[in-house]
Each structure stands twice: as C-alpha cells, then as structure tokens.
Amino acid sequence: GAFAVRRRVPILVLAVLFVVVSAVLGGGVVSRLSSGGFDDPGSDSAKAAAALADRFDAGPSDIVLVVGGAGSAAGSSVDTPAVAAAATALAETLAKESGVRDVSSYWATKAPAMRSTDGTLALVTARLTQSGDAAQTRAGQLAEELAGPTPDGVLDVHVSGAPVVFHEVGHTIEKDLARAESIAIPITMLLLLLVFG
C-alpha cells in the first residue's frame, strides 16, 4: 500500500496507458469472433452428414416459413384458393432472393408433414448458399423482409430456422451486454471512489 501511494502518479499513468493500449489491441476482436463449433468434425454423425451432403446434396433447411392466413383469411384452411395463391407467390419470391436455394413448400409438394393437423398453417422451406456468420446475416435480412403480414394482407408469416435463431440470439446478447456494461462500469467506478477514495 505504501509503495502504491508513494508512486501513485506513475501507477495511474501506467494504468491509463494499459487501458488505452488494451482498447487499441482488443477493439478489433469483435469482428473476428464467429459462431458455430458445436459439432466435432471427427464424429461419426458429422462424417455421415458430410457424406450425405457430398453425395446427395442433403442438408437441413436453413429458412423455415410458417405460413397462415391473415385478415379475413385468418384461421382458414391453407388449401383455400386465396391462401394457396398467395403462398405460392411467397415461395416464388423467396426462390428469387440472392443466396437462397432449394425452396420447397406445402403448396408445391402437398406433403402432409408440411401442414398443421388443423390445416391452418403450412411450411415453406429453403436452404442458404452460405454458411456460418454469413448465413446468419443473410437469414436475419430475410427474416426482416418476410416476417409479418404479406403486402397483400392475405398471409401472416413467421420466420424460423437455425441461422435465424442464432442471428436473433447474437443480436440480443450484443444489446444486453452493452446495456449491462453501461450500468456496471459507472457503478464500479463509484464503488472504487467510495472504497479507495
């Protein structure tokens, strides 16, 4: 304690310099962080998934649209002509988006698994050409464009899929961390002043 008090000015200067240098060196780390790494590439399941992707171009759907009627069509069957026409147009619009491939829908396949048991909701699925952070960014853009009522007011669209979820989680965590730091840092500074004078 006596050592620190006698050399308080140099210690303070060094502490400030340390903070400045740390900010300069560590400021760019956020852009280098990436999500993922949940799978072990050496595991049997990862090898099987890679083999299926290589041989059959198989893979999970990155974008899942849960589509139902809106407005006067709310609660009606997805097989009604108005809903079916609007949903088909929605699938065609999604297929024209950049970075999107393999669009499929209940209205194109008539697969019972793509329709809810009460017939009021059905799915449109798609895959993205990108992966990792780029896929999450693109998924977030698509979710902003497509979620909610369609311009014609016939459909109500909910957007899901792993990249969409990870994009939302990352965005929420970023906001929460900024809020937490904006509260914690001033309180910490105040406590340091009160404790150490």
Side-chain angles (χ1 to χ4, degrees):
F3 177 86
V5 169
R6 282 197 303 271
R7 294 164 180 81
R8 58 189 174 272
V9 174
I11 288 172
L12 248 157
V13 170
L14 285 172
V16 170
L17 282 173
F18 176 77
V19 169
V20 170
V21 169
S22 298
V24 170
L25 294 177
V29 74
V30 174
S31 62
R32 297 183 184 189
L33 294 174
S34 63
S35 59
F38 302 112
D39 301 320
D40 176 10
S43 68
D44 290 342
S45 59
K47 289 176 184 174
L52 287 169
D54 289 341
R55 293 183 188 178
F56 305 107
D57 194 29
S61 297
D62 298 310
I63 303 293
V64 179
L65 306 183
V66 181
V67 182
S72 60
S76 60
S77 169
V78 293
D79 293 312
T80 58
V83 172
T88 301
L90 174 67
E92 289 169 358
T93 300
L94 180 60
K96 292 175 187 172
E97 291 280 353
S98 64
V100 176
R101 68 185 184 108
D102 300 340
V103 175
S104 180
S105 74
Y106 162 73
W107 295 273
T109 64
K110 294 298 181 186
M114 295 185 79
R115 189 180 78 162
S116 65
T117 51
D118 66 358
T120 60
L121 298 171
L123 301 179
V124 177
T125 63
R127 292 171 65 190
L128 297 174
T129 57
Q130 299 167 307
S131 60
D133 291 341
Q136 291 179 29
T137 301
R138 186 68 184 115
Q141 293 166 348
L142 289 169
E144 274 188 40
E145 290 175 27
L146 301 173
T150 51
D152 58 12
V154 176
L155 302 177
D156 189 28
V157 181
H158 298 274
V159 185
S160 188
V164 177
V165 171
F166 284 127
H167 179 267
E168 288 299 317
V169 168
H171 185 65
T172 302
I173 288 173
E174 187 179 338
K175 286 194 306 186
D176 289 349
L177 282 174
R179 187 183 302 117
E181 288 175 2
S182 68
I183 295 168
I185 290 173
I187 291 173
T188 304
M189 294 298 288
L190 181 62
L191 287 172
L192 286 171
L193 285 171
L194 288 172
V195 173
F196 297 108

